[in-house]
Amino acid sequence: MIGKARGYLTTLRKWQRSGKKKGKPAIPTASNHPTLYAGTFTLELDALDLRKSFIRLKVYTGSEWVWVHYPTLYNRYFGRRRVEPGWETESPKLILGKQSATIHCLQSKTITAKKIVESKRDPDLVTVAVDLNVKQLAVITVRQHGVIKETRFVSDQGLDQHRYQHLGRVAKKQGQSGRAVKGERSNQQLWAHVRQQNVDSAHQTARAIVEVCETYPGCVLVFERLRKIKASGGSKSKRLNRKQANQLKGKINQLAKEKAYAIGVVSVEVNPHGTSQYCARCGCKGVRFTYQAGQRVTGKGGKLFACSACHYECHADFNASVNVHHSFFREFHWQPRAQKSG
Ligand SMILES: [Zn+2]
């Protein structure tokens, strides 16, 4: 950090002396974040009131090096990992943004876990499958000996609708001014709110998934490989909302894997092909439907699933979640051959 800052200041002074207008040296940016090695920083996070924590940085004022205290804010997950045994905090990195600076601390933990191939041979293996959706954020099913032992639905508790309304306001504002007004406060606040809700929701859902895993030691967590769904069609707010929903899925997926790994549970991704179209009971193709005023309405967006061969009917997301297990064990004809484990 000292080197980078020193280098920057030297080039800046040279540039100032040269009297040129063009070519003002850029401050160290995202591409060259300084790493703060021991001796240049101290993290004073062990204070009793965690909200009052601060970081001490050695900074160059232009004439001398001084220690300066900067108050810091950090999320509770970071704080929790700091006190949990086994976690190591690596040298923090200083990330300079346009209006703020953040300190990134990579936290790491050494984990011992079984390999997927080894686990797959175990006849008593428990698989925990997750189907990620929009309104039912996650449908978690637990299977052992070919039987579903437990099912858990994690609802978004109205988040999708709530976000849609916010994004409607964002879209309206952008429409009025032709384009997004740079630095406009209220839109920024709306976005920050939407993002924060997504992050909270992702952590909650990931925690729910890992809680299930925790009750089955040695289980394997199975996800579908996430598809890139283009957020096209519909109104602007609808498209923005789809995009946020997709990002939320990705975040849940990532966090659940990380949290699971931290408790020694390995995750695997399976091909998503067919999981929502085929019957989890007999493997035949089925249809999605919903009830509207007591009438069965068949359609792609239907919440329910019906099999035309065995007449099995269930919640469509539950059907998909059970199919994730089938996909992992490659039990049905529609299952793709090649799978990558990770
Ligand atoms: Zn069937």
Side-chain angles (χ1 to χ4, degrees):
M1 182 204 183
I2 295 171
K4 283 226 169 90
R6 211 174 254 161
Y8 163 69
L9 288 166
T10 316
T11 42
L12 182 70
R13 240 176 283 128
K14 239 184 232 163
W15 173 80
Q16 280 165 341
R17 252 182 267 132
S18 73
K20 278 182 206 157
K21 284 227 171 93
K22 275 185 185 170
K24 181 175 180 176
I27 55 160
T29 56
S31 53
N32 58 352
H33 304 301
T35 301
L36 308 170
Y37 296 106
T40 63
F41 79 97
T42 44
L43 270 171
E44 308 271 349
L45 300 177
D46 297 317
L48 278 176
D49 187 350
L50 288 173
R51 281 162 298 182
K52 282 184 190 153
S53 64
F54 54 85
I55 185 162
R56 217 155 72 97
L57 287 178
K58 208 170 196 176
V59 294
Y60 191 62
T61 60
S63 54
E64 59 176 341
W65 288 93
V66 289
W67 285 102
V68 180
H69 289 170
Y70 294 98
T72 59
L73 286 171
Y74 63 89
N75 68 41
R76 60 198 129 113
Y77 310 106
F78 174 76
R80 206 177 294 156
R81 285 195 292 266
R82 282 195 75 253
V83 292
E84 253 175 43
W87 283 96
E88 298 266 352
T89 303
E90 299 184 1
S91 274
K93 266 193 160 210
L94 183 66
I95 313 288
L96 296 167
K98 272 181 194 151
Q99 273 142 18
S100 64
T102 50
I103 305 281
H104 286 206
C105 300
L106 187 68
Q107 293 172 309
S108 59
K109 189 181 183 180
T110 312
I111 310 284
T112 39
K114 262 191 187 174
K115 280 197 175 129
I116 292 290
V117 267
E118 261 173 69
S119 300
K120 227 172 179 175
R121 278 189 229 118
D122 178 2
D124 298 322
L125 176 71
V126 175
T127 44
V128 176
V130 182
D131 179 57
L132 297 175
N133 291 287
V134 176
K135 293 206 166 125
Q136 290 298 336
L137 286 179
V139 179
I140 311 157
T141 51
V142 182
R143 187 181 123 164
Q144 190 185 29
H145 306 134
V147 181
I148 299 297
K149 300 175 67 146
E150 190 186 333
T151 305
R152 190 163 164 189
F153 283 76
V154 183
S155 155
D156 80 337
Q157 293 168 308
L159 173 75
D160 193 62
Q161 188 58 32
H162 181 83
R163 189 177 51 210
Y164 177 67
Q165 278 159 5
H166 278 311
L167 293 173
R169 282 171 62 198
V170 169
K172 203 178 160 199
K173 279 187 188 198
Q174 289 186 353
Q176 280 164 349
S177 50
R179 63 163 72 175
V181 180
K182 211 179 167 187
E184 196 182 68
R185 190 100 187 105
S186 48
N187 255 5
Q188 272 185 8
Q189 282 174 331
L190 280 172
W191 273 117
H193 175 67
V194 164
R195 270 189 217 108
Q196 191 52 51
Q197 282 195 321
N198 257 10
V199 168
D200 286 346
S201 190
H203 272 288
Q204 275 168 29
T205 312
R207 210 176 311 127
I209 294 167
V210 176
E211 264 169 33
V212 173
C213 293
E214 252 173 337
T215 50
Y216 303 96
C219 70
V220 167
L221 180 58
V222 193
F223 276 100
E224 280 183 321
R225 192 155 51 249
L226 291 178
R227 272 173 283 216
K228 275 261 177 218
I229 309 155
K230 266 202 180 160
S232 59
S235 63
K236 169 118 187 173
S237 40
K238 206 161 197 170
R239 289 199 306 275
L240 288 173
N241 202 25
R242 280 297 133 254
K243 211 172 164 187
Q244 287 295 316
N246 283 338
Q247 276 175 0
L248 176 57
K249 272 191 193 180
K251 195 86 194 151
I252 295 170
N253 184 294
Q254 178 216 333
L255 288 172
K257 279 183 195 165
E258 286 173 12
K259 287 179 204 282
Y261 202 59
I263 60 158
V265 170
V266 179
S267 309
V268 62
E269 279 192 352
V270 296
N271 193 310
H273 171 79
T275 48
S276 60
Q277 297 158 47
Y278 294 90
C279 171
R281 186 171 277 177
C282 74
C284 289
K285 204 157 186 171
V287 287
R288 301 279 290 255
F289 73 99
T290 190
Y291 279 109
Q292 271 170 26
Q295 295 284 307
R296 278 174 78 114
V297 183
T298 309
K300 246 188 155 185
K303 284 186 179 68
L304 300 163
F305 176 89
C307 175
S308 36
C310 74
H311 304 292
Y312 174 58
E313 285 184 13
C314 65
H315 193 290
D317 298 337
F318 171 77
N319 185 66
S321 185
V322 176
N323 271 336
V324 173
H325 296 276
H326 290 311
S327 199
F328 176 68
F329 291 107
R330 279 176 259 178
E331 290 161 330
F332 285 147
H333 64 89
W334 50 265
Q335 242 83 74
R337 294 165 309 279
Q339 267 183 7
K340 262 195 176 176
S341 58

mmCIF file of all heavy atoms in Angstrom, residues 128-162:
data_model
loop_
_atom_site.group_PDB
_atom_site.id
_atom_site.type_symbol
_atom_site.label_atom_id
_atom_site.label_comp_id
_atom_site.label_asym_id
_atom_site.label_seq_id
_atom_site.Cartn_x
_atom_site.Cartn_y
_atom_site.Cartn_z
ATOM 1 N N VAL A 128 -29.246 -33.902 -0.178
ATOM 2 C CA VAL A 128 -30.101 -32.740 0.075
ATOM 3 C C VAL A 128 -30.147 -31.966 -1.237
ATOM 4 O O VAL A 128 -29.128 -31.442 -1.683
ATOM 5 C CB VAL A 128 -29.527 -31.861 1.215
ATOM 6 C CG1 VAL A 128 -30.370 -30.605 1.414
ATOM 7 C CG2 VAL A 128 -29.435 -32.642 2.516
ATOM 8 N N ALA A 129 -31.324 -31.952 -1.887
ATOM 9 C CA ALA A 129 -31.438 -31.284 -3.184
ATOM 10 C C ALA A 129 -32.170 -29.963 -3.037
ATOM 11 O O ALA A 129 -33.086 -29.830 -2.218
ATOM 12 C CB ALA A 129 -32.179 -32.178 -4.171
ATOM 13 N N VAL A 130 -31.735 -28.999 -3.830
ATOM 14 C CA VAL A 130 -32.343 -27.672 -3.767
ATOM 15 C C VAL A 130 -32.796 -27.232 -5.149
ATOM 16 O O VAL A 130 -32.044 -27.310 -6.114
ATOM 17 C CB VAL A 130 -31.351 -26.631 -3.197
ATOM 18 C CG1 VAL A 130 -32.003 -25.269 -3.088
ATOM 19 C CG2 VAL A 130 -30.815 -27.061 -1.848
ATOM 20 N N ASP A 131 -34.033 -26.797 -5.216
ATOM 21 C CA ASP A 131 -34.551 -26.197 -6.445
ATOM 22 C C ASP A 131 -34.773 -24.724 -6.148
ATOM 23 O O ASP A 131 -35.525 -24.387 -5.232
ATOM 24 C CB ASP A 131 -35.867 -26.874 -6.846
ATOM 25 C CG ASP A 131 -36.453 -26.263 -8.104
ATOM 26 O OD1 ASP A 131 -35.762 -26.240 -9.137
ATOM 27 O OD2 ASP A 131 -37.610 -25.779 -8.048
ATOM 28 N N LEU A 132 -34.105 -23.862 -6.861
ATOM 29 C CA LEU A 132 -34.225 -22.420 -6.621
ATOM 30 C C LEU A 132 -35.248 -21.803 -7.553
ATOM 31 O O LEU A 132 -35.246 -22.054 -8.754
ATOM 32 C CB LEU A 132 -32.867 -21.735 -6.817
ATOM 33 C CG LEU A 132 -31.743 -22.158 -5.871
ATOM 34 C CD1 LEU A 132 -30.438 -21.487 -6.256
ATOM 35 C CD2 LEU A 132 -32.089 -21.846 -4.430
ATOM 36 N N ASN A 133 -36.135 -21.014 -6.961
ATOM 37 C CA ASN A 133 -37.187 -20.376 -7.744
ATOM 38 C C ASN A 133 -37.362 -18.933 -7.345
ATOM 39 O O ASN A 133 -36.601 -18.425 -6.533
ATOM 40 C CB ASN A 133 -38.499 -21.133 -7.532
ATOM 41 C CG ASN A 133 -38.423 -22.493 -8.166
ATOM 42 O OD1 ASN A 133 -38.460 -22.625 -9.369
ATOM 43 N ND2 ASN A 133 -38.264 -23.507 -7.337
ATOM 44 N N VAL A 134 -38.420 -18.327 -7.910
ATOM 45 C CA VAL A 134 -38.608 -16.919 -7.616
ATOM 46 C C VAL A 134 -39.426 -16.698 -6.344
ATOM 47 O O VAL A 134 -38.956 -16.083 -5.409
ATOM 48 C CB VAL A 134 -39.197 -16.168 -8.821
ATOM 49 C CG1 VAL A 134 -39.475 -14.715 -8.473
ATOM 50 C CG2 VAL A 134 -38.217 -16.219 -9.979
ATOM 51 N N LYS A 135 -40.631 -17.234 -6.292
ATOM 52 C CA LYS A 135 -41.440 -16.956 -5.092
ATOM 53 C C LYS A 135 -41.173 -17.948 -3.964
ATOM 54 O O LYS A 135 -41.088 -17.563 -2.803
ATOM 55 C CB LYS A 135 -42.912 -16.898 -5.459
ATOM 56 C CG LYS A 135 -43.119 -15.670 -6.351
ATOM 57 C CD LYS A 135 -44.480 -15.095 -6.335
ATOM 58 C CE LYS A 135 -44.459 -13.722 -6.973
ATOM 59 N NZ LYS A 135 -45.385 -13.542 -8.058
ATOM 60 N N GLN A 136 -41.051 -19.217 -4.337
ATOM 61 C CA GLN A 136 -40.524 -20.187 -3.376
ATOM 62 C C GLN A 136 -39.028 -20.156 -3.640
ATOM 63 O O GLN A 136 -38.551 -20.779 -4.573
ATOM 64 C CB GLN A 136 -41.086 -21.601 -3.639
ATOM 65 C CG GLN A 136 -42.553 -21.763 -3.321
ATOM 66 C CD GLN A 136 -42.851 -21.528 -1.849
ATOM 67 O OE1 GLN A 136 -41.995 -21.666 -1.000
ATOM 68 N NE2 GLN A 136 -44.092 -21.162 -1.555
ATOM 69 N N LEU A 137 -38.314 -19.395 -2.841
ATOM 70 C CA LEU A 137 -36.888 -19.190 -3.138
ATOM 71 C C LEU A 137 -36.132 -20.499 -3.230
ATOM 72 O O LEU A 137 -35.292 -20.683 -4.097
ATOM 73 C CB LEU A 137 -36.262 -18.290 -2.077
ATOM 74 C CG LEU A 137 -36.634 -16.823 -2.171
ATOM 75 C CD1 LEU A 137 -35.982 -16.033 -1.073
ATOM 76 C CD2 LEU A 137 -36.255 -16.249 -3.525
ATOM 77 N N ALA A 138 -36.446 -21.412 -2.307
ATOM 78 C CA ALA A 138 -35.777 -22.705 -2.343
ATOM 79 C C ALA A 138 -36.744 -23.791 -1.895
ATOM 80 O O ALA A 138 -37.487 -23.604 -0.945
ATOM 81 C CB ALA A 138 -34.554 -22.697 -1.444
ATOM 82 N N VAL A 139 -36.742 -24.885 -2.628
ATOM 83 C CA VAL A 139 -37.478 -26.063 -2.182
ATOM 84 C C VAL A 139 -36.418 -27.124 -1.915
ATOM 85 O O VAL A 139 -35.720 -27.576 -2.821
ATOM 86 C CB VAL A 139 -38.521 -26.535 -3.211
ATOM 87 C CG1 VAL A 139 -39.235 -27.786 -2.710
ATOM 88 C CG2 VAL A 139 -39.533 -25.434 -3.485
ATOM 89 N N ILE A 140 -36.278 -27.459 -0.631
ATOM 90 C CA ILE A 140 -35.220 -28.369 -0.200
ATOM 91 C C ILE A 140 -35.832 -29.736 0.077
ATOM 92 O O ILE A 140 -36.789 -29.846 0.850
ATOM 93 C CB ILE A 140 -34.546 -27.839 1.090
ATOM 94 C CG1 ILE A 140 -34.172 -26.363 0.936
ATOM 95 C CG2 ILE A 140 -33.335 -28.684 1.467
ATOM 96 C CD1 ILE A 140 -34.023 -25.612 2.251
ATOM 97 N N THR A 141 -35.317 -30.763 -0.569
ATOM 98 C CA THR A 141 -35.789 -32.116 -0.287
ATOM 99 C C THR A 141 -34.614 -32.982 0.148
ATOM 100 O O THR A 141 -33.516 -32.855 -0.374
ATOM 101 C CB THR A 141 -36.482 -32.759 -1.512
ATOM 102 O OG1 THR A 141 -35.625 -32.627 -2.642
ATOM 103 C CG2 THR A 141 -37.823 -32.128 -1.818
ATOM 104 N N VAL A 142 -34.876 -33.830 1.126
ATOM 105 C CA VAL A 142 -33.837 -34.711 1.664
ATOM 106 C C VAL A 142 -34.205 -36.146 1.310
ATOM 107 O O VAL A 142 -35.337 -36.578 1.536
ATOM 108 C CB VAL A 142 -33.737 -34.560 3.202
ATOM 109 C CG1 VAL A 142 -32.628 -35.447 3.750
ATOM 110 C CG2 VAL A 142 -33.501 -33.109 3.589
ATOM 111 N N ARG A 143 -33.271 -36.868 0.732
ATOM 112 C CA ARG A 143 -33.561 -38.227 0.307
ATOM 113 C C ARG A 143 -32.527 -39.223 0.826
ATOM 114 O O ARG A 143 -31.324 -38.935 0.835
ATOM 115 C CB ARG A 143 -33.584 -38.269 -1.223
ATOM 116 C CG ARG A 143 -34.037 -39.601 -1.779
ATOM 117 C CD ARG A 143 -34.011 -39.571 -3.283
ATOM 118 N NE ARG A 143 -33.167 -40.643 -3.758
ATOM 119 C CZ ARG A 143 -33.149 -41.095 -5.010
ATOM 120 N NH1 ARG A 143 -33.910 -40.533 -5.934
ATOM 121 N NH2 ARG A 143 -32.356 -42.072 -5.358
ATOM 122 N N GLN A 144 -33.017 -40.355 1.288
ATOM 123 C CA GLN A 144 -32.136 -41.450 1.665
ATOM 124 C C GLN A 144 -32.826 -42.758 1.312
ATOM 125 O O GLN A 144 -34.031 -42.896 1.491
ATOM 126 C CB GLN A 144 -31.821 -41.399 3.172
ATOM 127 C CG GLN A 144 -30.714 -42.374 3.562
ATOM 128 C CD GLN A 144 -30.462 -42.422 5.063
ATOM 129 O OE1 GLN A 144 -31.370 -42.190 5.855
ATOM 130 N NE2 GLN A 144 -29.230 -42.736 5.446
ATOM 131 N N HIS A 145 -32.073 -43.729 0.837
ATOM 132 C CA HIS A 145 -32.598 -45.030 0.421
ATOM 133 C C HIS A 145 -33.752 -44.875 -0.568
ATOM 134 O O HIS A 145 -34.729 -45.630 -0.520
ATOM 135 C CB HIS A 145 -33.057 -45.865 1.636
ATOM 136 C CG HIS A 145 -31.977 -46.023 2.675
ATOM 137 N ND1 HIS A 145 -32.219 -45.834 4.028
ATOM 138 C CD2 HIS A 145 -30.662 -46.326 2.569
ATOM 139 C CE1 HIS A 145 -31.085 -46.025 4.697
ATOM 140 N NE2 HIS A 145 -30.125 -46.325 3.834
ATOM 141 N N GLY A 146 -33.665 -43.876 -1.431
ATOM 142 C CA GLY A 146 -34.684 -43.679 -2.457
ATOM 143 C C GLY A 146 -35.984 -43.052 -1.981
ATOM 144 O O GLY A 146 -36.945 -42.945 -2.739
ATOM 145 N N VAL A 147 -36.021 -42.648 -0.714
ATOM 146 C CA VAL A 147 -37.258 -42.076 -0.162
ATOM 147 C C VAL A 147 -37.020 -40.633 0.277
ATOM 148 O O VAL A 147 -35.973 -40.319 0.844
ATOM 149 C CB VAL A 147 -37.733 -42.917 1.071
ATOM 150 C CG1 VAL A 147 -39.035 -42.352 1.636
ATOM 151 C CG2 VAL A 147 -37.886 -44.376 0.698
ATOM 152 N N ILE A 148 -38.008 -39.771 0.010
ATOM 153 C CA ILE A 148 -37.921 -38.383 0.476
ATOM 154 C C ILE A 148 -38.264 -38.349 1.959
ATOM 155 O O ILE A 148 -39.371 -38.708 2.366
ATOM 156 C CB ILE A 148 -38.868 -37.453 -0.328
ATOM 157 C CG1 ILE A 148 -38.485 -37.441 -1.829
ATOM 158 C CG2 ILE A 148 -38.848 -36.025 0.233
ATOM 159 C CD1 ILE A 148 -37.108 -36.889 -2.157
ATOM 160 N N LYS A 149 -37.300 -37.936 2.760
ATOM 161 C CA LYS A 149 -37.463 -37.947 4.221
ATOM 162 C C LYS A 149 -37.949 -36.620 4.769
ATOM 163 O O LYS A 149 -38.547 -36.557 5.831
ATOM 164 C CB LYS A 149 -36.100 -38.227 4.891
ATOM 165 C CG LYS A 149 -35.486 -39.534 4.510
ATOM 166 C CD LYS A 149 -34.102 -39.651 5.131
ATOM 167 C CE LYS A 149 -34.204 -39.754 6.649
ATOM 168 N NZ LYS A 149 -33.184 -40.582 7.260
ATOM 169 N N GLU A 150 -37.615 -35.564 4.085
ATOM 170 C CA GLU A 150 -37.947 -34.233 4.596
ATOM 171 C C GLU A 150 -38.061 -33.246 3.447
ATOM 172 O O GLU A 150 -37.329 -33.358 2.459
ATOM 173 C CB GLU A 150 -36.828 -33.783 5.558
ATOM 174 C CG GLU A 150 -37.170 -32.527 6.337
ATOM 175 C CD GLU A 150 -36.004 -32.003 7.195
ATOM 176 O OE1 GLU A 150 -35.143 -32.800 7.613
ATOM 177 O OE2 GLU A 150 -35.979 -30.786 7.413
ATOM 178 N N THR A 151 -38.977 -32.311 3.568
ATOM 179 C CA THR A 151 -39.136 -31.254 2.558
ATOM 180 C C THR A 151 -39.237 -29.923 3.264
ATOM 181 O O THR A 151 -39.896 -29.815 4.298
ATOM 182 C CB THR A 151 -40.415 -31.474 1.722
ATOM 183 O OG1 THR A 151 -40.371 -32.775 1.166
ATOM 184 C CG2 THR A 151 -40.531 -30.448 0.607
ATOM 185 N N ARG A 152 -38.570 -28.930 2.736
ATOM 186 C CA ARG A 152 -38.680 -27.606 3.324
ATOM 187 C C ARG A 152 -38.813 -26.559 2.226
ATOM 188 O O ARG A 152 -38.027 -26.533 1.282
ATOM 189 C CB ARG A 152 -37.440 -27.331 4.191
ATOM 190 C CG ARG A 152 -37.600 -26.092 5.022
ATOM 191 C CD ARG A 152 -36.609 -26.033 6.153
ATOM 192 N NE ARG A 152 -36.566 -24.670 6.665
ATOM 193 C CZ ARG A 152 -35.670 -24.238 7.540
ATOM 194 N NH1 ARG A 152 -34.748 -25.060 8.000
ATOM 195 N NH2 ARG A 152 -35.687 -22.990 7.959
ATOM 196 N N PHE A 153 -39.820 -25.732 2.360
ATOM 197 C CA PHE A 153 -40.049 -24.630 1.428
ATOM 198 C C PHE A 153 -39.544 -23.341 2.064
ATOM 199 O O PHE A 153 -39.898 -23.060 3.196
ATOM 200 C CB PHE A 153 -41.547 -24.464 1.135
ATOM 201 C CG PHE A 153 -42.102 -25.481 0.173
ATOM 202 C CD1 PHE A 153 -42.355 -26.779 0.582
ATOM 203 C CD2 PHE A 153 -42.384 -25.123 -1.142
ATOM 204 C CE1 PHE A 153 -42.877 -27.721 -0.296
ATOM 205 C CE2 PHE A 153 -42.906 -26.056 -2.034
ATOM 206 C CZ PHE A 153 -43.155 -27.350 -1.613
ATOM 207 N N VAL A 154 -38.733 -22.609 1.341
ATOM 208 C CA VAL A 154 -38.320 -21.294 1.836
ATOM 209 C C VAL A 154 -38.981 -20.250 0.944
ATOM 210 O O VAL A 154 -38.616 -20.080 -0.212
ATOM 211 C CB VAL A 154 -36.788 -21.113 1.821
ATOM 212 C CG1 VAL A 154 -36.396 -19.763 2.412
ATOM 213 C CG2 VAL A 154 -36.100 -22.242 2.582
ATOM 214 N N SER A 155 -39.975 -19.570 1.513
ATOM 215 C CA SER A 155 -40.717 -18.562 0.752
ATOM 216 C C SER A 155 -39.942 -17.245 0.727
ATOM 217 O O SER A 155 -39.152 -16.965 1.613
ATOM 218 C CB SER A 155 -42.072 -18.358 1.425
ATOM 219 O OG SER A 155 -42.576 -17.071 1.124
ATOM 220 N N ASP A 156 -40.198 -16.450 -0.284
ATOM 221 C CA ASP A 156 -39.522 -15.145 -0.356
ATOM 222 C C ASP A 156 -40.253 -14.103 0.495
ATOM 223 O O ASP A 156 -39.817 -12.965 0.580
ATOM 224 C CB ASP A 156 -39.398 -14.674 -1.812
ATOM 225 C CG ASP A 156 -40.687 -14.062 -2.349
ATOM 226 O OD1 ASP A 156 -41.767 -14.367 -1.818
ATOM 227 O OD2 ASP A 156 -40.605 -13.290 -3.316
ATOM 228 N N GLN A 157 -41.337 -14.502 1.122
ATOM 229 C CA GLN A 157 -42.128 -13.632 2.007
ATOM 230 C C GLN A 157 -42.484 -12.305 1.345
ATOM 231 O O GLN A 157 -42.387 -11.246 1.946
ATOM 232 C CB GLN A 157 -41.389 -13.397 3.329
ATOM 233 C CG GLN A 157 -41.281 -14.672 4.131
ATOM 234 C CD GLN A 157 -40.321 -14.541 5.289
ATOM 235 O OE1 GLN A 157 -39.187 -14.115 5.106
ATOM 236 N NE2 GLN A 157 -40.764 -14.923 6.460
ATOM 237 N N GLY A 158 -42.867 -12.429 0.094
ATOM 238 C CA GLY A 158 -43.333 -11.245 -0.633
ATOM 239 C C GLY A 158 -42.241 -10.359 -1.209
ATOM 240 O O GLY A 158 -42.510 -9.290 -1.730
ATOM 241 N N LEU A 159 -40.996 -10.823 -1.126
ATOM 242 C CA LEU A 159 -39.867 -10.008 -1.615
ATOM 243 C C LEU A 159 -40.002 -9.648 -3.095
ATOM 244 O O LEU A 159 -39.786 -8.511 -3.489
ATOM 245 C CB LEU A 159 -38.539 -10.739 -1.384
ATOM 246 C CG LEU A 159 -37.308 -10.078 -2.001
ATOM 247 C CD1 LEU A 159 -36.882 -8.862 -1.200
ATOM 248 C CD2 LEU A 159 -36.146 -11.050 -2.101
ATOM 249 N N ASP A 160 -40.388 -10.637 -3.908
ATOM 250 C CA ASP A 160 -40.471 -10.414 -5.353
ATOM 251 C C ASP A 160 -41.457 -9.289 -5.681
ATOM 252 O O ASP A 160 -41.150 -8.403 -6.476
ATOM 253 C CB ASP A 160 -40.885 -11.715 -6.051
ATOM 254 C CG ASP A 160 -40.696 -11.636 -7.549
ATOM 255 O OD1 ASP A 160 -39.543 -11.457 -7.991
ATOM 256 O OD2 ASP A 160 -41.696 -11.738 -8.277
ATOM 257 N N GLN A 161 -42.604 -9.320 -5.034
ATOM 258 C CA GLN A 161 -43.630 -8.307 -5.241
ATOM 259 C C GLN A 161 -43.153 -6.935 -4.763
ATOM 260 O O GLN A 161 -43.297 -5.927 -5.443
ATOM 261 C CB GLN A 161 -44.908 -8.735 -4.492
ATOM 262 C CG GLN A 161 -46.119 -7.878 -4.771
ATOM 263 C CD GLN A 161 -46.466 -7.843 -6.262
ATOM 264 O OE1 GLN A 161 -46.257 -8.813 -6.988
ATOM 265 N NE2 GLN A 161 -46.982 -6.720 -6.722
ATOM 266 N N HIS A 162 -42.548 -6.948 -3.591
ATOM 267 C CA HIS A 162 -42.029 -5.738 -2.963
ATOM 268 C C HIS A 162 -40.960 -5.087 -3.861
ATOM 269 O O HIS A 162 -41.000 -3.891 -4.128
ATOM 270 C CB HIS A 162 -41.414 -6.150 -1.620
ATOM 271 C CG HIS A 162 -40.844 -5.021 -0.829
ATOM 272 N ND1 HIS A 162 -41.614 -4.210 -0.031
ATOM 273 C CD2 HIS A 162 -39.571 -4.563 -0.708
ATOM 274 C CE1 HIS A 162 -40.843 -3.310 0.535
ATOM 275 N NE2 HIS A 162 -39.592 -3.508 0.145
#
